Amino acid sequence: MQEVTTDRIVIVGAGLGALYAALKLAPLPVVMISPEPLGEGASSAWAQGGVAAAMDAADSPENHAADTEKAGAGTVDPVVADLVTREARKYILDLTTMGTPFDRTVDGDYVLSREAAHSFARVVRVKGDQAGAEIMAALIDRVRETPSVQVLQGTMAVDLDVADGVVTGVAIQDADEARSAPIMLRGAAYLMAGGGSGGLFALTTNPPRIRGQVIGMAARAGAEIADAEFVQFHPTAMDVGEDPAPLATEALRGEGAALINADGERFMVDLHPDAELAPRDVVARAIFAQTQAGKRPMLDTRDVLGERVKTQFPAVADACARNGIDPAKDPIPVAAAAHYHMGGIATDHGGRATLGGLWVCGEASSTGLHGANRLASNGLLEALVYARICAEDIAASVDVATTADLVDLRFTAGGLAPDAKAVATLRQTMTDLVGVVRTGDGLRAALVTIAELDAAYSDSRAFQNMCATATLIAAAALIREESRGAHERADFPNTLSGPGQRSKMTLTEALAIRAEAIKDLT
Ligand SMILES: Cc1cc2nc3c(=O)[nH]c(=O)nc-3n(C[C@H](O)[C@H](O)[C@H](O)COP(=O)(O)OP(=O)(O)OC[C@H]3O[C@@H](n4cnc5c(N)ncnc54)[C@H](O)[C@@H]3O)c2cc1C
């Protein structure tokens, strides 16, 4: 394989975690691997609700940490929850300084939305549902004026090279895998910020690139993966036949929007004291049950928002308009869709993976903040906090040159794109058998299908990475014989008593569980 060596720190990904880390590393030279033009292809730009932070004088980081731990169902690392929530305010102020136009009251205070399982209105927002797009736009402007950041647009990472437990390179291809053979890029340090795994499921709110590839790549290289079984399903993805499914932000329920079914029944009222504002996993399971029963769940914004939904929630209004829905007159059909992966590459409190030379931030990581269920709007916050932590740790522990030449990659032909049908089968298998409600038999069947696909389409590294993450999710879900947070086992409906253990697994261990499942079923 062709090799290129650089003095730059290599950042894989170009979402919020990657951009913020690049800015915090400046003036140290970085090269960012960005499959799409900056601002596209990342979940970050699609975030609607905003960033959670205790900004209200009556609120406190302690309340925020307590809500985070409660939502996480006994598996949150309290040290991480304390650290992240204590710092949250600082990041809102920093993003404001960087140019994010957060919504303000006439008195200049931040407008705060209330989201599920938060004991306070605590979510800082922009233009109603535009938080992700506006934060990203502000950071992209800053990155463009930062000379230490080189962006390699139109490229993707497919492999890590490891020697004696230390990462020594990352294999880069054209973002269209079919168009080039990989080049091994050797840098000063490696920061993985490649997002989560939602798109591994057929029904998802995540952009098409977010399919667990970066988690899978690290797992194939030997990094430990934590909490893989914990995937959050968003209760109110719009059920309008689009892939990915557009999101109807939780802030709508915070404004009082109701969940009804085809019989007009407000089904959450009998299920939970907080009704529509019950924790996300509770609402997702209720929506899933309504869908399974053929009762067509819908989000009704008519009474509480009327025409205002069109100006206050422009992303929702656009998606409705595209699909011929007038939310002032019609309830919006919804379904539970894979949304956020609490699991990911295991990190310590410094953002370090279990392989040397490798740091991770954002949704690709599993820091211990989210446990079995992420508290709404803690995702962007975690990406910011750990981007800063990783940047500082890299700067303190790696001898990085202060300047570096631009990286010049000249790709040659030789790649192979993942087979579209195989990807579709993998995604449908994940939704059908590893989705909102799981069973041992279903998970074993999923592992068999994943193994078959993995073997049949092993030429594509991108597909191998997806299969690795899918294997880890299904294997971890199979061995967790209880229901906890977002992980619901129909055959093990109870939560085991005592504090929940976080799962930690290497790909080798997951493959052994997969082999066992194949033996059981054949
Ligand atoms: C519709 C939606 C709404 C959301 N709303 C909120 C919200 O209101 N508040 C909140 O806190 N969180 C929200 N989330 C979650 C939040 O957006 C994400 O957790 C967060 O943005 C993750 O940031 P990141 O930088 O880790 O990943 P991303 O922003 O997803 O960026 C990942 C980057 O990695 C790149 N990449 C992927 N594969 C490769 C590869 N093989 N090689 C190189 N690069 C690669 C992608 O192209 C992208 O640039 C939402 C998510 C979605 C999908």
Side-chain angles (χ1 to χ4, degrees):
M1 190 185 300
Q2 189 191 336
E3 294 204 3
V4 170
T5 300
T6 174
D7 289 332
R8 292 174 182 269
I9 297 153
V10 182
I11 299 183
V12 173
L16 181 65
L19 294 172
Y20 200 68
L23 292 169
K24 293 297 157 192
L25 278 163
L28 295 180
V30 309
V31 57
M32 193 183 286
I33 309 304
S34 175
E36 280 81 28
L38 282 188
E40 292 175 25
S43 290
S44 299
W46 290 15
Q48 294 185 0
V51 188
M55 303 296 284
D56 189 315
D59 195 4
S60 68
E62 290 75 21
N63 290 334
H64 186 180
D67 290 345
T68 299
E69 288 183 43
K70 193 169 162 207
T75 50
V76 169
D77 180 337
V79 175
V80 176
D82 175 64
L83 166 87
V84 171
T85 55
R86 203 160 16 88
E87 292 201 352
R89 182 186 178 83
K90 184 171 102 181
Y91 291 86
I92 303 303
L93 302 180
D94 195 29
L95 289 180
T96 305
T97 309
M98 288 181 171
T100 307
F102 287 113
D103 291 351
R104 304 293 191 107
T105 65
V106 279
D107 299 326
D109 294 331
Y110 289 87
V111 174
L112 301 172
S113 306
R114 174 96 194 263
E115 293 193 353
H118 284 274
S119 55
F120 278 82
R122 185 186 283 142
V123 179
V124 180
R125 64 189 216 185
V126 189
K127 297 179 191 162
D129 60 10
Q130 300 293 298
E134 291 287 341
I135 293 169
M136 287 290 282
L139 293 197
I140 289 167
D141 284 350
R142 300 290 79 74
V143 161
R144 291 216 163 104
E145 60 195 30
T146 304
S148 59
V149 185
Q150 180 187 5
V151 181
L152 285 179
Q153 207 164 284
T155 61
M156 68 188 282
V158 287
D159 261 326
L160 291 177
D161 198 26
V162 177
D164 299 328
V166 177
V167 175
T168 55
V170 53
I172 308 292
Q173 289 190 228
D174 189 289
D176 175 353
E177 209 192 350
R179 289 176 50 180
S180 80
I183 295 175
M184 185 56 68
L185 180 62
R186 301 201 186 279
Y190 306 88
L191 172 61
M192 307 297 267
S197 311
L200 271 180
F201 292 76
L203 192 50
T204 182
T205 62
N206 286 198
R209 176 84 54 187
I210 307 303
R211 293 187 175 165
Q213 290 195 36
V214 168
I215 296 170
M217 183 185 322
R220 284 178 50 239
E224 194 171 61
I225 306 300
D227 295 342
E229 68 275 36
F230 295 129
V231 176
Q232 184 171 76
F233 296 88
H234 198 291
T236 55
M238 290 190 207
D239 188 14
V240 289
E242 287 187 16
D243 177 26
L247 186 72
T249 173
E250 198 157 272
L252 291 164
R253 278 175 283 139
E255 295 275 335
L259 286 168
I260 57 171
N261 62 20
D263 301 333
E265 188 192 348
R266 215 179 129 201
F267 52 87
M268 283 311 300
V269 174
D270 292 337
L271 284 179
H272 195 278
D274 294 330
E276 280 83 357
L277 286 178
R280 220 170 240 190
D281 57 319
V282 176
V283 187
R285 279 194 288 277
I287 295 274
F288 181 72
Q290 293 287 323
T291 305
Q292 295 294 92
K295 290 197 168 182
R296 191 135 182 85
M298 291 173 282
L299 183 67
D300 190 352
T301 64
R302 292 174 297 183
D303 287 349
V304 286
L305 285 162
E307 289 289 335
R308 276 194 299 132
V309 73
K310 295 177 189 169
T311 46
Q312 284 189 9
F313 296 94
V316 174
D318 276 0
C320 284
R322 278 201 307 275
N323 291 283
I325 298 165
D326 179 351
K329 295 200 185 106
D330 313 307
I332 305 164
V334 290
H339 182 62
Y340 187 89
H341 197 180
M342 278 72 79
I345 306 165
T347 65
D348 65 11
H349 295 161
R352 292 176 182 220
T354 55
L355 294 173
L358 188 68
W359 285 258
V360 197
C361 68
E363 204 173 324
S365 69
S366 183
T367 63
L369 177 67
H370 308 299
N373 194 20
R374 174 186 67 125
L375 185 67
S377 290
N378 267 355
L380 295 175
L381 176 62
E382 184 201 45
L384 291 163
V385 174
Y386 273 87
R388 194 269 302 159
I389 288 174
C390 289
E392 286 178 4
D393 200 48
I394 292 170
S397 55
V398 180
D399 195 11
V400 188
T402 46
T403 57
D405 293 337
L406 291 175
V407 174
D408 183 15
L409 298 184
R410 305 271 165 100
F411 291 117
T412 54
L416 187 75
D419 181 88
K421 260 202 192 142
V423 173
T425 305
L426 178 66
R427 296 179 69 210
Q428 198 57 53
T429 302
M430 294 300 283
T431 284
D432 291 345
L433 301 175
V434 196
V436 181
V437 179
R438 302 157 170 179
T439 64
D441 286 346
L443 292 166
R444 282 185 205 92
L447 285 164
V448 171
T449 303
I450 298 165
E452 286 166 2
L453 292 169
D454 208 355
Y457 299 95
S458 60
D459 295 352
S460 158
R461 288 178 162 87
F463 191 64
Q464 281 178 12
N465 291 332
M466 290 182 221
C467 286
T469 304
T471 298
L472 281 150
I473 296 172
L478 181 61
I479 60 163
R480 186 174 283 278
E481 295 188 329
E482 62 164 347
S483 293
R484 183 182 290 277
H487 169 69
E488 177 76 7
R489 286 282 299 259
D491 44 356
F492 293 98
N494 297 326
T495 304
L496 297 178
S497 57
Q501 293 280 344
R502 293 184 63 200
S503 72
K504 300 237 167 119
M505 205 183 269
T506 60
L507 183 59
T508 307
E509 288 160 344
L511 288 172
I513 295 167
R514 188 169 93 176
E516 221 24 66
I518 294 170
K519 246 203 275 161
D520 285 353
L521 281 195
T522 48

